């Protein structure tokens, strides 16, 4: 093996308005190796790969990229593909209605003077399918393939472009164990044929098994590069690198007053809405006490949001089994309306898609989830609505000249306060907050924490879903960890530490002992 | 305007934004302001062009009689479009209802009040049918109503055997009737004037009520002169219009179909603005997922909005049949397009979530006066169609363009430019951001300076 690296990214800095996503990041990848990139959600892994593949064109970042010994300046994805870099995204970019052959050569058609040579394309497709170990008729439509096989088609598509460097973003996130194993074998096989791979994954056991080198990114900085072959690298070592940061006093002080268990979910099992064989929640059981803030920790795709939404009036997936007990009585929440009536509130992680009608004004948004409270015989009382909105504006310090302003005008933090107000207005007993501080600045975060703590102080139960471990450790009283749809641990926050949480979030070794 | 000579400052919120408040300065009415301006300009242009014929009593009565059914359709259509759907079947539904009602009266000797109820029942049934496919099966409304357009057009011709069926004289009053003359020795129609007075009184009362509520809640109030100007202008327009209607040809006054229209506008404005159902329409149209996660039963809203449209189409069909004293195989051809055009000219968004009943009525009036004015100056149907098409395209293009500029309307852009110019003249002043000047349209969130 030559000592010349195939890829070198030097002091890459990428800024978004208000955020420095990457700061002086360095990445060196040797030829024909499998290089893993590890980091928490939001550490900057995907951003780095987007810089590399030209999604963020040259000029929108600073720093240099050397590929196969030459400096490259990609202006779009096509340019990076032409150089031999292919990226396979978490969300597959295949067209379901087209056949395998058509997908493999999409944008790269085998044509003479604009006429596609289908015979040649099919022969080449068969050859590529053999290389990725997929025994399927190349005329099969993509929609008839499972996710695992689709992943292989994606790789075949990359190979068709004569790829030198393959980037895989969470390739096994959606796969079952067999398919994952097959995929990892394939990546190893490609390595044997001289193809370099960069792999982003949250599954540390896989990384430990397959990677030659591991680069750890945290908060937009390169922390270290570990050489797996040299030995001494295990999951604990990786986790330490990923979370090793001090907890600053970013959280308001609070003395919790925790009452009795009032909300309990038992053996909750939910099917994926499109893929019935996938269970997004597998017999999950958990409980919440009055006045308690319960954290739900898990990596992306672990099934936290799915679990929360399925409880909130079955707004996600197909219900298979499980019961909900509230205040000692079993309740059945068939739709969102009944969930709201039973005192549940769900603040979505996706404020703009699921939380707010961005065309609406602040006051109308605040009362939207419980119009009946300010209505008589179906007629909404405007002046009451205004008064209530004003109250919440003052109480939550929503920064706006008037509650008649459209919510689209507000900053992320203030929009989030409107969403919180909307759900506080429904008088919930249990609030499920899904990533309530995502995408908002530090000052606003502090205010949101204060609101959450005030809600708990009123004796309400709070479930806090968060990808930020410091946030969970700083705010929650107790933390459940979720891994692949299962609850893997239940730790009082005072006894929890990031390493232990990360371990439970990345493997199902430990079982919950509720 | 005086603000041109004085430097803009954050404290001064007078001038443009106050003038806009004269027309009810809320977020959504901003868009309508531009359309209302266009309507006034169009009417004035034709008024001059036709030597005062446009605003003559006879012509106004004519416009109401001729376009009331399109305006009624646009009330239902705007709700459908806010939901993100479309209804192509309204013309056929109107025609189908017309022939059923005509046959019922002509062949079964059904009394006309009963026939009207039958017509509404037909509308409900058709609406339930179309609503079912849209809401509970999930077929796109475009397809369902395209099918409905064919089915009910065919249904009309099947029942009527592709010939016209006359309706009895008594029935025609809902389409061609007028407010009756009272035996009072005055040379104008007293009922029409009373109606006008009632309207003016309502405007005054409404403004007083609004100011009282605002004062009670301590919310931002427009200056008194704004309220006074607003009331005087609106009440003046209403009384003047009433006077025109009341002093037309003997035997004519404000048409019954116009009264039906006014009642429907009031009722549906109330429904869309002040009821839970109305809020749900905007909520689902604006963001269906967020609405569902707030406990709104979106399918139920889909169903009733589609159903409501067909009921209004049935009503429009009956008014048309009454006016033309017969139901024919080509009734209501192309109405759907006129109604849809009216709604979009009136500021509704193709993607749903935006639109108002009043806006659509103003949009419909733009089309009506354009049509009418062009006919008065002797333009042929060909030219009228070309111009109508171009106006629709232009109106929506200006809207799309202004959205991209971050302005709410032509007026918004104009005032923003002015502001920019004023700022550049007074470089020491901080930027003036009057909340009412900010557009509602940009989806980019921004921090508001406080």
């Amino acid at each position: 093996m030559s000592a010349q690296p195939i890829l070198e990214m030097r002091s890459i800095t990428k800024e978004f308005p208000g955020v420095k996503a990457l700061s002086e990041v360095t990445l060196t990848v040797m030829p024909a190796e499998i290089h893993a990139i590890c980091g928490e959600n939001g550490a900057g892994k995907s951003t780095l790969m987007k810089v590399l593949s030209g999604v963020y064109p040259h000029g929108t970042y600073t720093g240099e990229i050397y590929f196969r010994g030459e400096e490259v300046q990609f202006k779009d994805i096509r340019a990076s593909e032409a150089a031999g870099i292919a990226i396979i995204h978490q969300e597959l970019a295949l067209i379901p209605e087209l056949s395998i052959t058509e997908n493999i050569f999409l944008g790269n058609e085998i044509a003479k003077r604009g006429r596609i040579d289908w015979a040649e394309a099919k022969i080449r497709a068969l050859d590529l399918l053999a290389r990725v170990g997929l025994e399927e008729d190349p005329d099969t439509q993509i929609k008839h393939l499972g996710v695992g096989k689709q992943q292989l088609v994606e790789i075949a598509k990359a190979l068709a472009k004569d790829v030198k460097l393959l980037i895989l973003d969470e390739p096994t996130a959606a796969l079952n164990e067999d398919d994952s194993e097959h995929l990892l074998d394939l990546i190893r096989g490609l390595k044997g044929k001289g193809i370099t791979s960069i792999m982003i994954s949250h599954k540390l056991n896989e990384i430990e098994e397959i990677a030659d080198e591991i680069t750890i990114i945290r908060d937009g900085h390169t922390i270290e590069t570990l050489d797996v072959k040299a030995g001494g690298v295990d999951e604990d070592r990786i986790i330490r690198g990923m979370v090793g940061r001090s907890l600053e006093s970013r959280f308001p002080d609070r003395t919790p007053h925790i009452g009795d268990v009032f909300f309990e979910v038992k053996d909750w099992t939910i099917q994926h809405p499109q893929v019935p064989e996938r269970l997004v929640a597998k017999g999950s059981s958990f409980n919440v006490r009055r006045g308690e803030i319960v954290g739900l920790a898990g990596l992306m795709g672990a099934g936290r949001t799915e679990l929360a939404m399925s409880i909130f009036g079955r707004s996600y997936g197909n219900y298979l089994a499980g019961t909900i007990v509230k205040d000692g009585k079993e309740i059945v929440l068939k739709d969102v309306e009944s969930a709201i009536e039973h005192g549940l509130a769900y603040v979505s992680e996706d404020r703009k898609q699921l939380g707010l009608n961005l065309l609406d004004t602040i006051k109308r948004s605040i009362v939207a989830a419980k119009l009946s409270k300010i209505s008589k015989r179906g007629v909404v009382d405007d002046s009451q609505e205004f008064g209530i909105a004003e109250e919440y504006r003052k109480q939550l310090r929503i920064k706006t000249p008037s509650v008649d302003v459209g919510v689209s005008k507000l900053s992320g933090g203030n929009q989030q306060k409107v969403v919180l107000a909307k759900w506080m207005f429904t008088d919930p007993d249990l609030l499920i907050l899904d990533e309530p501080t995502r995408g908002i600045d530090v000052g606003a975060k502090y205010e949101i924490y204060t609101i959450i703590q005030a809600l708990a102080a009123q004796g309400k139960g709070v479930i806090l879903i968060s990808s930020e471990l410091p946030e969970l450790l700083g705010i929650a009283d107790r933390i459940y960890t979720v891994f692949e749809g299962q609850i893997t641990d239940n730790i009082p926050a005072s006894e929890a530490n990031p390493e232990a949480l990360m371990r439970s979030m990345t493997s199902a070794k430990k079982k919950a002992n509720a | 305007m005086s603000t041109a000579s004085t430097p803009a400052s954050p404290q001064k919120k007078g001038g443009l934004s106050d003038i806009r408040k004269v027309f009810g300065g809320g977020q959504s009415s901003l868009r309508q302001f531009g359309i209302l301006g266009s309507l006034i300009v169009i009417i004035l242009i034709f008024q001059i062009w036709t030597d005062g014929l446009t605003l003559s009593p006879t012509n106004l009565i004519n416009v109401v009689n001729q376009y009331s059914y399109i305006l009624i359709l646009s009330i239902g259509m705007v709700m459908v479009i806010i939901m993100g759907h479309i209804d192509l079947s309204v013309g056929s539904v109107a025609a189908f209802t017309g022939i059923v009602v005509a046959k019922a009266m002509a062949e079964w000797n059904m009394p006309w009040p009963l026939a009207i109820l039958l017509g509404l029942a037909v509308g409900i049934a058709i609406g339930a049918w179309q609503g079912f496919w849209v809401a509970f099966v999930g077929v796109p409304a475009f397809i369902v109503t395209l099918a409905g357009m064919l089915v009910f057009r065919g249904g009309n011709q099947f029942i009527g055997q592709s010939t016209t069926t006359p309706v009895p004289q008594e029935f025609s009053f809902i389409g061609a009737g007028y407010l009756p003359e009272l035996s009072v020795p005055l040379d104008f129609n007293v009922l029409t004037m009373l109606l006008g007075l009632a309207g003016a009184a309502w405007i005054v009362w409404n403004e007083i009520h609004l100011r009282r509520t605002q004062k009670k809640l301590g919310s931002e109030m427009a200056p008194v002169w704004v309220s006074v100007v607003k009331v005087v202008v609106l009440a003046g327009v209403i009384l003047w219009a009433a006077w025109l209607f009341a002093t037309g040809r003997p035997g004519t006054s404000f048409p019954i179909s116009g009264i039906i229209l006014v009642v429907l506008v009031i009722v549906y404005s109330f429904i869309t603005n002040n009821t839970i159902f109305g809020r749900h329409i905007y909520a689902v149209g604006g963001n269906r997922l967020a609405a569902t996660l707030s406990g709104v039963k979106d399918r139920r809203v889909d169903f009733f909005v589609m159903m409501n449209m067909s009921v209004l189409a049935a009503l429009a069909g009956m008014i048309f049949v009454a006016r033309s004293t017969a139901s024919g195989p080509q009734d209501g051809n192309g109405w759907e397009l006129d109604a849809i055009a009216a709604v979009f000219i009136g500021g509704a968004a193709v993607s749903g979530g935006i639109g108002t009943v009043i806006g659509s009525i103003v949009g419909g009036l733009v089309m009506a006066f354009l049509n009418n004015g062009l006919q008065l100056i002797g333009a042929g149907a060909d030219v009228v169609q070309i111009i109508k098409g171009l106006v629709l395209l232009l109106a929506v293009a200006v809207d799309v363009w202004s959205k991209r500029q971050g302005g709410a309307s032509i007026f918004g852009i104009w005032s923003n430019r002015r502001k920019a110019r004023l700022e550049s003249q007074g470089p020491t002043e901080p930027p003036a951001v009057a909340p009412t000047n900010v557009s509602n349209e940009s989806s980019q969130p921004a921090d508001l300076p406080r």
Side-chain angles (χ1 to χ4, degrees):
Chain A
M1 193 186 289
S2 66
Q4 177 81 16
I6 183 169
L7 172 76
E8 249 188 299
M9 298 179 82
R10 289 187 200 154
S11 12
I12 302 289
T13 299
K14 167 81 190 164
E15 283 183 54
F16 294 107
V19 212
K20 209 171 204 180
L22 296 175
S23 169
E24 303 275 313
V25 170
T26 304
L27 177 69
T28 308
V29 180
M30 302 306 286
E33 74 165 6
I34 298 173
H35 195 112
I37 299 180
C38 291
E40 279 189 279
N41 296 342
K45 297 165 296 192
S46 296
T47 312
L48 185 65
M49 290 305 109
K50 283 179 180 166
V51 167
L52 174 56
S53 59
V55 174
Y56 301 131
H58 177 78
T60 61
Y61 59 88
T62 59
E64 296 118 49
I65 303 175
Y66 291 87
F67 184 59
R68 304 170 82 193
E70 282 168 37
E71 183 170 4
V72 286
Q73 302 182 340
F74 301 130
K75 64 180 198 316
D76 54 24
I77 305 180
R78 290 188 78 93
S80 71
E81 278 179 355
I85 298 176
I87 184 161
I88 294 172
H89 288 283
Q90 239 165 309
E91 305 86 30
L92 298 174
L94 298 172
I95 296 168
E97 297 294 331
L98 296 185
S99 74
I100 293 178
T101 312
E102 286 168 315
N103 266 289
I104 287 180
F105 296 108
L106 190 65
N108 185 25
E109 285 84 2
I110 303 169
K112 274 190 201 118
R113 288 191 298 272
R115 227 188 102 201
I116 295 180
D117 184 348
W118 284 117
E120 173 69 15
K122 217 187 248 176
I123 292 165
R124 295 256 288 270
L126 272 171
D127 175 49
L128 289 164
L129 290 182
R131 281 175 71 189
V132 299
L134 180 61
E135 287 171 21
E136 286 286 343
D137 182 344
D139 289 334
T140 314
Q141 280 178 314
I142 290 296
K143 64 177 177 185
H144 296 307
L145 301 180
V147 192
K149 288 181 176 173
Q150 291 189 16
Q151 193 78 262
L152 296 177
V153 174
E154 276 273 14
I155 294 176
K157 187 177 168 183
L159 295 177
K161 289 173 189 160
D162 193 21
V163 65
K164 300 284 182 302
L165 175 65
L166 192 61
I167 305 167
L168 301 121
D169 191 355
E170 294 275 358
T172 59
L175 303 189
N176 63 28
E177 236 153 86
D178 283 351
D179 285 345
S180 299
E181 204 52 50
H182 182 87
L183 185 71
L184 296 180
D185 281 343
L186 173 64
I187 296 171
R188 269 195 215 100
L190 292 175
K191 174 185 156 188
K193 287 175 187 135
I195 293 176
T196 315
S197 299
I198 295 180
M199 187 168 144
I200 298 176
S201 178
H202 283 313
K203 296 187 179 168
L204 299 184
N205 54 347
E206 283 177 10
I207 288 181
E208 193 189 339
E209 188 188 322
I210 194 173
D212 300 311
E213 279 197 301
I214 301 170
T215 294
I216 294 175
I217 295 179
R218 187 205 307 155
D219 295 337
H221 296 266
T222 312
I223 300 303
E224 55 191 340
T225 296
L226 306 170
D227 188 350
V228 182
K229 285 165 290 184
V233 177
D234 58 7
E235 282 184 45
D236 286 343
R237 177 69 192 80
I238 303 171
I239 287 171
R240 215 181 318 142
M242 281 163 70
V243 298
R245 105 186 100 180
S246 63
L247 296 187
E248 307 136 53
S249 60
R250 289 190 281 138
F251 307 100
D253 285 331
R254 151 172 180 260
T255 321
H257 299 282
I258 296 172
D260 297 328
V261 170
F262 80 106
F263 186 85
E264 237 180 311
V265 173
K266 291 175 187 160
D267 302 319
W268 200 254
T269 305
I270 296 295
Q271 229 173 25
H272 189 277
Q274 275 96 45
V275 191
E277 60 267 30
R278 247 183 95 197
L279 297 180
V280 288
K282 300 172 198 160
S284 301
S285 301
F286 61 93
N287 58 50
V288 184
R289 299 185 178 92
R290 288 203 175 275
E292 186 182 36
I293 301 175
V294 174
L296 213 52
L299 294 166
M300 252 179 240
R304 302 163 305 173
T305 299
E306 290 81 354
L307 176 65
M309 286 181 73
S310 64
I311 288 165
F312 187 63
R314 300 187 187 168
S315 39
Y316 175 88
N318 302 326
Y319 169 86
L320 285 187
T323 50
I324 301 174
V325 178
K326 186 170 170 259
D327 298 318
K329 268 178 285 179
E330 185 178 333
I331 54 172
V332 179
L333 308 174
K334 282 224 163 90
D335 53 27
V336 174
E337 206 179 7
S338 65
I340 294 173
E341 262 162 37
H342 278 100
L344 265 69
Y346 171 69
V347 174
S348 162
E349 63 178 328
D350 193 339
R351 203 163 43 231
K352 289 186 183 157
Q353 300 296 321
L354 304 176
L356 285 171
N357 174 3
L358 290 171
L359 301 170
D360 224 339
T361 59
I362 296 172
K363 62 173 184 186
R364 281 172 166 239
S365 302
I366 287 177
V367 297
K370 201 139 193 179
L371 280 169
S372 56
K373 222 170 121 183
I374 53 162
S375 309
K376 263 186 207 144
R377 285 186 295 269
V379 178
V380 180
D381 183 339
D382 279 346
S383 55
Q384 223 182 325
E385 168 184 81
F386 183 86
I388 285 160
E390 272 294 303
E391 241 170 70
Y392 280 112
R393 180 178 71 82
K394 287 176 196 141
Q395 190 190 336
L396 305 186
R397 286 190 290 178
I398 301 169
K399 289 195 195 86
T400 171
S402 150
V403 290
D404 287 319
V405 169
V407 286
S408 62
K409 304 273 191 314
L410 300 177
S411 67
N414 283 305
Q415 283 184 350
Q416 190 67 339
K417 288 182 193 172
V418 172
V419 179
L420 284 172
K422 167 175 161 180
W423 289 107
M424 286 160 75
F425 178 66
T426 64
D427 294 324
D429 298 319
L430 176 76
L431 284 106
I432 307 173
L433 309 178
D434 198 348
E435 302 278 6
T437 62
R438 172 179 289 175
I440 64 184
D441 62 72
V442 181
K445 274 185 185 178
Y446 192 89
E447 286 187 275
I448 302 277
Y449 297 144
T450 315
I451 297 168
I452 295 173
Q453 295 183 343
L455 289 168
Q458 291 165 21
K460 298 179 192 302
V462 177
I463 296 178
L464 175 66
I465 300 175
S466 176
S467 294
E468 289 182 42
L469 291 181
E471 179 170 289
L472 287 174
L473 291 166
I475 290 292
D477 301 312
R478 194 155 53 95
I479 300 171
Y480 286 102
T481 56
V482 186
F483 174 71
E484 291 189 337
Q486 276 171 303
I487 291 190
T488 51
D489 214 341
N490 173 19
I491 329 169
S494 52
E495 296 168 23
N497 60 59
E499 284 83 4
L501 286 177
M502 189 58 92
R503 213 169 292 127
S504 304
M505 283 157 63
T506 46
S507 64
K509 281 170 207 156
K510 252 166 102 183
K511 281 286 165 202
N513 43 353
Chain B
M1 198 163 300
S2 63
T3 41
S5 54
T6 53
S9 75
Q11 285 79 32
K12 182 156 172 59
K13 280 186 185 169
L16 285 177
S17 61
D18 275 346
I19 289 175
R20 219 169 310 154
K21 277 189 198 131
V22 172
F23 297 91
Q27 296 272 347
S28 54
S29 53
L30 253 170
R31 296 162 61 85
Q32 291 157 28
F33 183 80
I35 297 299
L36 193 59
S38 318
L39 175 63
I40 293 168
V41 170
I42 287 172
I43 291 177
L44 288 181
I45 287 175
F46 281 115
Q47 174 74 353
I48 294 166
W49 204 338
T50 59
D51 292 328
L53 216 58
T54 299
L55 288 177
S56 68
T58 316
N59 189 55
L60 278 184
I61 289 169
N62 204 9
V63 168
V64 172
N65 272 331
Q66 230 175 339
Y67 295 99
S68 57
Y69 37 87
I70 297 291
L71 294 174
I72 288 172
L73 289 178
S74 67
I75 295 173
M77 193 63 83
V78 70
M79 295 161 75
V80 171
I81 285 172
I82 291 169
M83 289 291 288
H85 297 310
I86 199 102
D87 193 334
L88 300 175
S89 70
V90 291
S92 296
V93 172
F96 183 78
T97 311
I99 195 74
V100 170
V101 170
K103 283 280 176 191
M105 285 186 293
E107 290 183 9
W108 311 339
N109 293 319
M110 189 183 266
W112 66 264
L114 216 57
I116 291 178
L117 290 181
L118 173 70
L120 292 176
V122 169
I124 291 173
I126 293 175
W129 161 259
Q130 301 201 121
F132 165 77
W133 290 103
V134 173
F136 301 113
V137 184
V139 180
F142 185 90
I143 302 298
V144 171
T145 58
L146 184 61
M149 185 178 177
L150 299 169
V151 168
F152 299 112
R153 173 65 57 198
N156 163 291
Q157 292 168 0
F158 180 76
I159 293 175
Q161 284 149 350
S162 295
T163 55
T164 47
T165 307
V167 295
Q169 199 59 45
E170 316 89 76
F171 183 73
S172 69
F173 98 103
I174 65 162
Y178 297 98
L179 282 176
E181 296 284 349
L182 295 184
S183 47
V184 190
L186 290 169
D187 55 356
F188 55 85
N189 184 285
V190 178
L191 277 179
T192 302
M193 275 324 283
L194 284 178
L195 205 67
L197 280 172
W202 184 77
I203 294 285
V204 174
W205 178 85
N206 192 43
E207 188 65 21
I208 292 172
H209 180 73
L210 181 76
R211 290 192 71 89
R212 238 185 236 150
T213 328
Q214 283 176 337
K215 195 168 184 179
K216 198 176 77 194
L217 297 165
S219 70
E220 198 194 340
M221 273 165 76
V224 179
W225 70 265
V226 170
S227 286
V228 172
V229 171
K230 178 179 169 184
V231 165
V232 168
V233 169
L234 285 178
V237 168
I238 288 177
L239 288 174
W240 180 48
W243 179 252
L244 288 176
F245 280 111
T247 55
R249 214 156 23 87
T252 66
S253 64
F254 196 61
I256 299 295
S257 61
I259 290 180
I260 296 174
L261 174 66
V262 169
V263 169
L264 288 176
V265 169
I266 293 170
V267 168
Y268 278 94
S269 286
F270 182 79
I271 289 177
T272 50
N273 287 327
N274 297 77
T275 66
I276 293 185
F277 183 68
R279 292 293 178 89
H280 284 178
I281 294 176
Y282 285 99
V284 175
N287 187 340
R288 187 177 284 264
L289 289 172
T292 337
L293 277 179
S294 301
V296 176
K297 298 226 162 71
D298 57 334
R299 292 174 167 202
R300 203 150 70 184
V301 184
D302 284 331
F303 179 81
F304 283 114
V305 166
M306 291 309 290
M307 179 154 139
N308 176 67
M309 178 74 261
S310 292
V311 174
L312 288 177
L315 185 62
M318 287 190 283
I319 291 174
F320 182 78
V321 167
R323 188 176 121 78
S324 46
T325 65
S327 167
Q330 296 303 324
D331 289 0
N333 244 351
W335 285 7
E336 57 282 340
L337 302 179
D338 279 341
I340 291 167
V343 170
F344 284 126
I345 290 177
V350 183
S351 50
I354 298 174
T356 58
V357 170
I358 295 288
S360 305
I361 293 297
V362 175
L365 287 173
V366 166
M367 297 282 275
F369 276 101
L370 204 64
N371 225 336
N372 171 267
L374 288 168
Q375 280 168 3
L376 286 182
I377 61 167
D382 43 1
V383 177
V384 173
Q385 278 204 44
I386 292 172
I387 292 180
K388 266 163 69 178
L390 291 176
V391 164
L392 170 65
L393 185 63
L394 191 74
V396 177
V398 166
D399 206 54
V400 168
W401 181 75
S402 68
K403 261 186 240 175
R404 208 175 298 145
Q405 304 293 309
S409 60
I410 313 171
F411 190 83
I413 293 166
W414 179 59
S415 62
N416 284 344
R417 282 232 183 95
R418 268 179 71 89
K419 211 169 62 202
R421 214 166 50 225
L422 290 172
E423 273 157 24
S424 63
Q425 284 165 2
T428 53
E429 297 292 337
V433 182
T436 42
N437 279 358
V438 184
S439 91
N440 187 24
E441 305 314 323
S442 70
S443 57
Q444 295 297 316
D447 266 309
L448 275 175
R450 177 74 170 147

